Amino acid sequence: MKKKLLITAMAVLCLGMTGFAQTKGTNALSFGINATTSKNSYINPNQTEQKTEQKSNLFSLGYGYFIKDDSKIGIDATYGQNTINSTGLTEQTFKTYGASLSYQKYFPIVKTLFAYAGGRAGYAYGTQNQSQPLNSNNLSQDYTSNSYSLGAYGGVTWFLGKRFALETSLLSADIAYNSSEQTQGTNLTSYKTKNTSFNFSSQGLINNLGFKIYILF
């Protein structure tokens, strides 16, 4: 009797898992967090211990809508901060604010596991501050940048049910235009420089293997 009940429960679970969550009219709210911390230390030629600590945090929030079965459009916002501290040498802080529009097409692999391919257009604004001691003065450098990108990407999505999904990106290729401005100086002098660049980059398999969580409704 217990065996029959167990089989029945598993069958009901499987039926719930195979329900199509990526149908036309479905809304998808996504969020992701990626936080890392690393510490390193070494002895320099002067026999002094040098320590470096790096902290990185990335937060994302997005909304998507299935315009038809297996096809989704979306908008995402991201915020990232990275700090690097080296004892007695430099202190660097990077901040990035971004937004992107995307389109994804899903292809079934097996049961609730799907592959997807899509395109996206994005914008990011970044700041960087770097300071280090220079004799009795502080040498500081400040950067601001604007980046515009257009690219294609792909990965896999696991629809856990009608309400939840996990997704990761495996492949991507982007064309980007960057414009940046640098201010550098000490307590006595300062100057500014500007530059622009255009580049194409591609990433191979297992790129940015971080999961994004979707709530579907």
Side-chain angles (χ1 to χ4, degrees), residues 28-53:
L29 184 64
S30 67
F31 59 92
I33 300 174
N34 187 359
T36 61
T37 300
S38 62
K39 296 181 179 181
N40 297 289
S41 64
Y42 68 95
I43 304 298
N44 62 28
N46 296 324
Q47 299 300 308
T48 303
E49 184 178 17
Q50 181 69 48
K51 295 182 179 180
T52 301
E53 181 180 40

Side-chain angles (χ1 to χ4, degrees), residues 95-97 123-128 142-148 177-182 195:
K95 293 183 180 180
T96 305
Y97 310 83
Y123 166 76
Y125 173 77
T127 64
Q128 175 188 348
D142 294 288
Y143 298 84
T144 59
S145 64
N146 293 277
S147 177
Y148 305 86
Y177 170 79
N178 301 285
S179 174
S180 63
E181 180 176 309
Q182 174 188 356
N195 69 80

